[in-house]
Amino acid sequence: MVPLTEDSRVNAGVEALPDIQRTPDPRGIAIDEVGVGSIRYPLQIPLRDGGVCHTVAEVSMRVSLPHYEKGTHMSRFMIALEERQHELRPEGIDDVLLHLREALDADTAYLDVRFPIFLERPAPVTGIVGRLDYDCHIGAALNAKGLVEKRIGVVVNAASLCPCSREISDRGAHNQRSRIAIELRPTGNEFIWFEDLVEIAEASASCQLYPILKRPDEKHVTERAYDNPKFVEDIVRDVALKLAPYHERGVVAWYRVQCTNFESIHNHDAVARIERGEQAKLLRCEG
Amino acid sequence: MVPLTEDSRVNAGVEALPDIQRTPDPRGIAIDEVGVGSIRYPLQIPLRDGGVCHTVAEVSMRVSLPHYEKGTHMSRFMIALEERQHELRPEGIDDVLLHLREALDADTAYLDVRFPIFLERPAPVTGIVGRLDYDCHIGAALNAKGLVEKRIGVVVNAASLCPCSREISDRGAHNQRSRIAIELRPTGNEFIWFEDLVEIAEASASCQLYPILKRPDEKHVTERAYDNPKFVEDIVRDVALKLAPYHERGVVAWYRVQCTNFESIHNHDAVARIERGEQAKLLRCEG
Amino acid sequence: MVPLTEDSRVNAGVEALPDIQRTPDPRGIAIDEVGVGSIRYPLQIPLRDGGVCHTVAEVSMRVSLPHYEKGTHMSRFMIALEERQHELRPEGIDDVLLHLREALDADTAYLDVRFPIFLERPAPVTGIVGRLDYDCHIGAALNAKGLVEKRIGVVVNAASLCPCSREISDRGAHNQRSRIAIELRPTGNEFIWFEDLVEIAEASASCQLYPILKRPDEKHVTERAYDNPKFVEDIVRDVALKLAPYHERGVVAWYRVQCTNFESIHNHDAVARIERGEQAKLLRCEG
Amino acid sequence: MVPLTEDSRVNAGVEALPDIQRTPDPRGIAIDEVGVGSIRYPLQIPLRDGGVCHTVAEVSMRVSLPHYEKGTHMSRFMIALEERQHELRPEGIDDVLLHLREALDADTAYLDVRFPIFLERPAPVTGIVGRLDYDCHIGAALNAKGLVEKRIGVVVNAASLCPCSREISDRGAHNQRSRIAIELRPTGNEFIWFEDLVEIAEASASCQLYPILKRPDEKHVTERAYDNPKFVEDIVRDVALKLAPYHERGVVAWYRVQCTNFESIHNHDAVARIERGEQAKLLRCEG
């Protein structure tokens, strides 16, 4: 089996064939991003408690392409993924971007990694431990001037109970699963764990979710949600309240919180969004 | 523009080229179903109240292929769709299947059509009218002996409120959106409307959903759900109770009801299924 | 049945119940957008040829909420949808936004509508006509100063054939389905049809797709794609070349073209993006 | 932290609350399957080469419920998952089913586990190694008489090149990504690895996929596919040819192969299916 780095035999074979990608392009149009996407790949993500989460990621890697080049070299992205898989975690991303810039001979390199992590969640009364899944992502870019931009995010499901329904009804109150998405641009002054953001989201809902609930636990979470009603507006505001100090002390350059309530009384969703700070320059729209 | 039926010019062009599909196949393996899928197409579906619902369907059409033929003729399915689009509704399906059998020169023809319908749902107190969406499907097959099999189905979202949570809690009760899927094989003795099945599903949940709810309506549905708690087990049983008479009087040969509760206290779902009657011969697994 | 506008009986019932949404909020945090999403609704979209396309849309409507209000009034969005459904098309969007601003008593209103349209596509040689589906969207916002921002987009599937594979191989060349997404911000100086953008995308691929192809047509498209090889980079550049004049003559303030090739030789995708012009102020990231 | 097994404190708390689930049900309707679904969970799956694949699974667990019981005990499924996670692999499934039957006091237990595995795929000429993802699933049921039924399956993406397009065209041939799904019921006489099924699928397409291809590799796969054209019909027949011997020697009781070609010349798919052997009794339709 040939090692991952290309040996002379490979290079000889490659060089014997024409390289259409390297031919000049007459259109004069630079390409912002070109590369590969929808790659599934197993990764290990370090956790705040010192452990490691084995997970499966969806990866995308792109570079900028100057106006005078016809195409990029797609196989180099996949070789970089094989070689640098162990650095595809928050603290290794900068090195991967540097490597991509070099390997692809590009000004700017882009990276997106999305994966679930699994955290222990003991039941609130009985303490029985189960694991809950949270979607995380890391987006990052590095340009020729050394500017690094990063965006991290989590998606946290939780329970919301409607304050209006509770107030106007003689008994009960409609409640439902909500999806809380937090994204932010860390400045790098302080390390922010996905777990920190998960806790902020869970503390902002009517009640967090649990994988295992015995009857005393179910009684607890039912009453907890009833005592803690939240509109979709309340949830995004309460998350924003907890994120604002990060922004104020320069740890976060930008943040956005979105909440979607899968309304139990409707077939549509209630949605809300708060966004603060300066948007990214390199990382365009998609979170 | 050439009309949909192929004229002599077209046939001349087609016949000048070799027809690989028609060459004999040496492997001796008949193919159960071959054709086209994932086609989006606009359709008009008749409603029980005499109206018509303009909708967008996902269509699949297949035929059996004998062991001695290498391939079917895919373009004929798409021509059949263009020509027979106005018959792609419950009462025209038999003719479409007959046409497919002939056009493809096949023993057995298969058809699946999936689409949402939109029904008016006035709010329970204020009466303000909005429209709610329901996913419907029709599956059908016709073989050389004239055996016709059909399967129809609806997916209805509704609210469920947990009886256990209500019983053990001092206040409130967790509730959530549920997805109720009914599928059945009509014998043809009686026409069954999608709307009939929608009503059965909605009457079996803690409360139906509404597109528009003012505060008096929200109070009504909150209390209605609280007064009518249902486990996922209760919902499938209550649907089955309403379907059993159809089976007993020979209107339905087989039925299956499945319910998925998107639990507001968990990140996973509660699921239940009841199935009765004789499974189809021609229509295999996928509902 | 009560008409859609609320009569005095409804208002009386509503006013008898407390309105939690209207209570003051102490947190001092304005909400950028709050409203409803994931609504499926049947719409009629005018086509360039003078016809109308009956389709099914996914709709979202949001408004801004000032820091001192606890919540918005969700039912008013759904009533607005029922009342204004016939204006949910490119030329009626401004009126709907004005209505939302008033009905919700808000500074800024937001709207997103996504739907497929179906266009006739005669086969290139035989001329047999079938219909092809294209995903479209309209995003729009209106603020208190009367600033209107719009974004329209189409997603067009087409075929791409790899120039490198063709050049280095003695026979054949890998090709695949590609998804071309064009989004742009029209300035309003000229009306742009979805069909205009569909044609730009189809003319930029190796070959457009067809619903119905007889053998002479299949020969035509196979050879057409082989004679017209395109990298993912070529496709986004060729679309950008056709969009640049719109930008230069002030018809388009911003555009973005993205292409995804579902590589037939890999299990991952090749992706590319070009973006030019000034990003929106009101319409944030998600296209 | 309380250990996973319930201690006396937990049981005391649980028993103090009413157990609605255990109350008798008057409707007289047994439930075929009730339990939990859509659970994401990290698992380790043994590979044929002696290694282990860390992956993320979607899990569902259900049991039958007799007509006289109102509800099952959902938390026990999640506790079983935590306790038995290391047995959720092909050779441990029987024990998990036995445990579920006991823990839930049920006649029949059902289990579905779906996950990707990652296999090394060296490039065909240069030998550079990358990893490719394949979706796998295990379905299993165990009833009171000790009848065990299992179903395993893989989904393998590969390339298909159209024989008709190649034959009628002067140059090139349309090709595309295809999705090949194999499902079968092993009798238990011989152990079947997911990798065995992956190889059967890859050997039946025009060419298998590779994560990394340098130019000499791309030339190889382009020409390989051109020299090996396959209709969707050919692919399912070639897979069936390779599965038939398993059936004949009693290793497989039932098999089904389905192929979907994401046609590069159409916006719809070509589909085919072959099914042989005796369908399951306990495991109903959904593969």
Side-chain angles (χ1 to χ4, degrees), chain C residues 164-234:
Chain C
C164 172
S165 169
R166 191 186 93 144
E167 182 69 24
I168 63 181
S169 304
D170 291 335
R171 51 204 177 277
H174 79 81
N175 51 76
Q176 53 269 317
R177 214 186 277 169
S178 299
R179 186 180 60 210
I180 305 168
I182 299 175
E183 296 162 277
L184 54 80
R185 289 209 295 124
T187 57
N189 297 344
E190 246 176 61
F191 190 81
I192 301 170
W193 292 93
F194 295 119
E195 290 90 327
D196 301 336
L197 304 183
V198 166
E199 286 168 5
I200 285 175
E202 291 188 333
S204 302
S206 292
C207 191
Q208 68 182 87
L209 304 185
Y210 295 94
I212 300 174
L213 292 171
K214 302 298 286 183
R215 286 204 299 285
D217 304 306
E218 184 170 356
K219 173 180 167 62
H220 176 93
V221 301
T222 302
E223 295 170 357
R224 161 86 182 136
Y226 191 85
D227 295 341
N228 193 28
K230 300 260 189 163
F231 285 128
V232 70
E233 293 94 333
D234 292 313

Side-chain angles (χ1 to χ4, degrees), chain C residues 42 46 54 62-63 84 88 92 95 136 140 154 162 166 175 178 196 205-206 210 213 251 273 287:
Chain C
H54 287 267
R62 292 98 55 208
V63 293
R84 302 301 177 114
L88 275 174
D95 286 341
C136 300
V154 295
C162 178
R166 191 186 93 144
N175 51 76
S178 299
D196 301 336
S206 292
Y210 295 94
L213 292 171
V251 173
R273 177 197 300 202

Side-chain angles (χ1 to χ4, degrees), chain B residues 27 234 275-276 279 284, chain D residues 27 30 234 238 279 284:
Chain B
R27 281 163 291 197
D234 291 314
E275 193 170 340
R276 295 290 184 272
Q279 284 225 350
R284 300 304 286 255
Chain D
R27 282 163 290 199
D234 291 314
D238 285 350
Q279 282 224 352
R284 300 303 286 256

Side-chain angles (χ1 to χ4, degrees), chain C:
Chain C
M1 191 81 36
V2 175
L4 284 175
T5 51
E6 304 158 54
D7 64 12
S8 54
R9 184 178 63 83
V10 172
N11 285 332
V14 168
E15 281 160 24
L17 293 169
D19 188 353
I20 298 286
Q21 282 86 344
R22 201 161 280 177
T23 55
D25 195 274
R27 281 162 292 198
I29 300 178
I31 294 181
D32 297 69
E33 303 182 20
V34 57
V36 291
S38 299
I39 307 157
R40 281 200 295 184
Y41 208 83
L43 289 183
Q44 297 177 43
I45 301 294
L47 297 179
R48 193 179 60 183
D49 67 6
V52 161
C53 183
H54 287 267
T55 187
V56 172
E58 186 178 310
V59 178
S60 172
M61 297 174 285
R62 292 98 55 208
V63 293
S64 60
L65 190 74
H67 72 82
Y68 48 81
E69 281 183 18
K70 184 166 174 67
T72 191
H73 289 83
M74 298 285 184
S75 63
R76 296 182 191 172
F77 291 104
M78 300 303 291
I79 291 172
L81 176 59
E82 281 295 324
E83 288 176 345
R84 302 301 177 114
Q85 53 175 285
H86 297 297
E87 297 167 47
L88 275 174
R89 45 180 68 189
E91 66 278 35
I93 287 285
D94 293 35
D95 286 341
V96 179
L97 287 168
L98 266 172
H99 175 74
L100 283 180
R101 277 196 57 213
E102 282 170 28
L104 277 298
D105 192 22
D107 265 13
T108 309
Y110 301 88
L111 190 54
D112 280 289
V113 193
R114 294 168 184 280
F115 48 86
I117 59 171
F118 298 87
L119 302 177
E120 291 197 343
R121 286 291 176 262
V125 177
T126 63
I128 304 176
V129 176
R131 279 185 280 178
L132 208 55
D133 54 312
Y134 302 89
D135 280 309
C136 300
H137 77 259
I138 311 169
L142 168 68
N143 73 5
K145 296 170 185 160
L147 172 63
V148 177
E149 283 186 344
K150 286 185 200 167
R151 188 157 45 199
I152 63 169
V154 295
V155 176
V156 176
N157 286 356
S160 61
L161 185 138
C162 178
C164 172
S165 169
R166 191 186 93 144
E167 182 69 24
I168 63 181
S169 304
D170 291 335
R171 51 204 177 277
H174 79 81
N175 51 76
Q176 53 269 317
R177 214 186 277 169
S178 299
R179 186 180 60 210
I180 305 168
I182 299 175
E183 296 162 277
L184 54 80
R185 289 209 295 124
T187 57
N189 297 344
E190 246 176 61
F191 190 81
I192 301 170
W193 292 93
F194 295 119
E195 290 90 327
D196 301 336
L197 304 183
V198 166
E199 286 168 5
I200 285 175
E202 291 188 333
S204 302
S206 292
C207 191
Q208 68 182 87
L209 304 185
Y210 295 94
I212 300 174
L213 292 171
K214 302 298 286 183
R215 286 204 299 285
D217 304 306
E218 184 170 356
K219 173 180 167 62
H220 176 93
V221 301
T222 302
E223 295 170 357
R224 161 86 182 136
Y226 191 85
D227 295 341
N228 193 28
K230 300 260 189 163
F231 285 128
V232 70
E233 293 94 333
D234 292 313
I235 294 175
V236 291
R237 274 176 168 144
D238 285 350
V239 171
L241 264 183
K242 298 181 184 81
L243 291 176
Y246 287 81
H247 189 214
E248 284 153 19
R249 70 172 194 270
V251 173
V252 162
W254 167 90
Y255 61 92
R256 176 167 59 189
V257 51
Q258 298 180 89
C259 184
T260 302
N261 283 7
F262 304 106
E263 299 287 292
S264 67
I265 59 173
H266 294 302
N267 207 20
H268 59 263
D269 303 330
V271 298
R273 177 197 300 202
I274 289 172
E275 192 170 340
R276 295 290 184 273
E278 195 189 345
Q279 283 224 351
K281 280 180 187 57
L282 300 175
L283 295 169
R284 300 304 287 256
C285 299
E286 293 67 22

Side-chain angles (χ1 to χ4, degrees), chain B residues 118-121 129-133 211, chain C residues 40-42 82 85:
Chain B
F118 298 87
L119 302 178
E120 291 195 344
R121 286 290 175 265
V129 176
R131 280 185 281 178
L132 208 57
D133 55 311
Chain C
R40 281 200 295 184
Y41 208 83
E82 281 295 324
Q85 53 175 285

Side-chain angles (χ1 to χ4, degrees), chain A residues 175-242:
Chain A
N175 50 77
Q176 53 268 317
R177 213 186 277 169
S178 300
R179 187 180 59 210
I180 306 168
I182 299 176
E183 296 163 276
L184 53 81
R185 289 209 296 123
T187 56
N189 297 344
E190 247 176 59
F191 190 80
I192 300 170
W193 292 93
F194 295 118
E195 290 90 327
D196 300 337
L197 305 182
V198 166
E199 286 167 6
I200 285 174
E202 291 188 335
S204 303
S206 292
C207 191
Q208 68 182 88
L209 304 185
Y210 295 94
I212 300 175
L213 292 172
K214 302 298 286 184
R215 287 204 299 286
D217 304 307
E218 184 169 357
K219 174 179 166 62
H220 176 93
V221 301
T222 301
E223 294 171 358
R224 161 86 183 139
Y226 191 85
D227 295 342
N228 192 27
K230 302 258 188 163
F231 285 130
V232 71
E233 292 94 332
D234 292 313
I235 293 175
V236 292
R237 275 177 169 144
D238 285 349
V239 171
L241 264 184
K242 297 181 184 81

Side-chain angles (χ1 to χ4, degrees), chain B:
Chain B
M1 193 79 37
V2 175
L4 285 175
T5 52
E6 303 158 55
D7 66 13
S8 53
R9 183 177 64 82
V10 171
N11 285 331
V14 168
E15 280 161 22
L17 293 169
D19 187 353
I20 298 287
Q21 282 86 342
R22 200 161 281 176
T23 55
D25 195 275
R27 281 163 291 197
I29 300 178
I31 294 180
D32 298 69
E33 302 182 22
V34 57
V36 291
S38 298
I39 307 157
R40 280 201 297 183
Y41 207 83
L43 289 185
Q44 297 177 43
I45 302 293
L47 296 179
R48 194 179 59 183
D49 67 6
V52 161
C53 183
H54 287 267
T55 188
V56 171
E58 186 178 310
V59 178
S60 171
M61 298 173 284
R62 292 97 57 208
V63 294
S64 59
L65 190 74
H67 72 83
Y68 49 81
E69 280 184 19
K70 183 166 175 66
T72 190
H73 289 83
M74 298 285 185
S75 63
R76 296 181 190 173
F77 291 104
M78 300 305 290
I79 292 172
L81 176 60
E82 281 296 323
E83 289 177 345
R84 302 301 177 112
Q85 52 174 285
H86 297 297
E87 297 166 48
L88 275 173
R89 44 180 69 190
E91 66 279 34
I93 287 287
D94 293 35
D95 284 341
V96 180
L97 287 168
L98 265 172
H99 176 74
L100 282 180
R101 276 196 56 213
E102 280 171 27
L104 277 297
D105 192 22
D107 264 13
T108 309
Y110 302 88
L111 189 54
D112 278 288
V113 192
R114 295 170 182 279
F115 49 85
I117 59 170
F118 298 87
L119 302 178
E120 291 195 344
R121 286 290 175 265
V125 177
T126 63
I128 303 176
V129 176
R131 280 185 281 178
L132 208 57
D133 55 311
Y134 302 89
D135 280 309
C136 300
H137 76 258
I138 311 170
L142 168 68
N143 73 4
K145 295 169 188 161
L147 173 64
V148 177
E149 282 186 344
K150 286 184 199 168
R151 188 157 45 198
I152 63 169
V154 295
V155 176
V156 176
N157 286 356
S160 61
L161 185 139
C162 178
C164 172
S165 169
R166 190 185 93 144
E167 182 69 23
I168 63 181
S169 304
D170 291 336
R171 48 204 179 277
H174 79 80
N175 50 78
Q176 52 269 318
R177 213 186 279 166
S178 300
R179 187 179 60 210
I180 306 168
I182 299 175
E183 297 161 276
L184 54 79
R185 290 209 295 123
T187 56
N189 297 344
E190 249 176 57
F191 189 81
I192 301 171
W193 292 93
F194 294 119
E195 290 90 327
D196 300 337
L197 304 183
V198 166
E199 286 167 6
I200 285 174
E202 291 188 334
S204 303
S206 292
C207 191
Q208 69 182 86
L209 304 185
Y210 295 93
I212 300 174
L213 292 172
K214 302 298 286 182
R215 286 204 298 286
D217 305 307
E218 184 170 356
K219 174 180 165 62
H220 176 92
V221 300
T222 301
E223 295 170 358
R224 160 88 183 136
Y226 191 85
D227 295 341
N228 193 27
K230 300 260 189 163
F231 284 129
V232 70
E233 292 94 331
D234 291 314
I235 293 175
V236 292
R237 274 176 168 144
D238 285 350
V239 171
L241 264 184
K242 297 181 185 79
L243 291 175
Y246 288 82
H247 189 213
E248 283 153 19
R249 69 172 195 268
V251 172
V252 162
W254 166 92
Y255 61 93
R256 175 166 60 189
V257 50
Q258 297 180 90
C259 184
T260 302
N261 283 9
F262 304 107
E263 299 288 290
S264 67
I265 57 173
H266 295 302
N267 207 19
H268 60 263
D269 304 330
V271 298
R273 177 198 300 205
I274 290 173
E275 193 170 340
R276 295 290 184 272
E278 196 189 344
Q279 284 225 350
K281 281 180 184 59
L282 299 175
L283 296 168
R284 300 304 286 255
C285 300
E286 292 68 24

Side-chain angles (χ1 to χ4, degrees), chain B residues 232-233 270-271, chain D residues 21 34-36 72-78 104:
Chain B
V232 70
E233 292 94 331
V271 298
Chain D
Q21 282 85 344
V34 57
V36 290
T72 190
H73 289 82
M74 298 284 184
S75 63
R76 296 181 190 173
F77 291 104
M78 301 304 290
L104 276 299

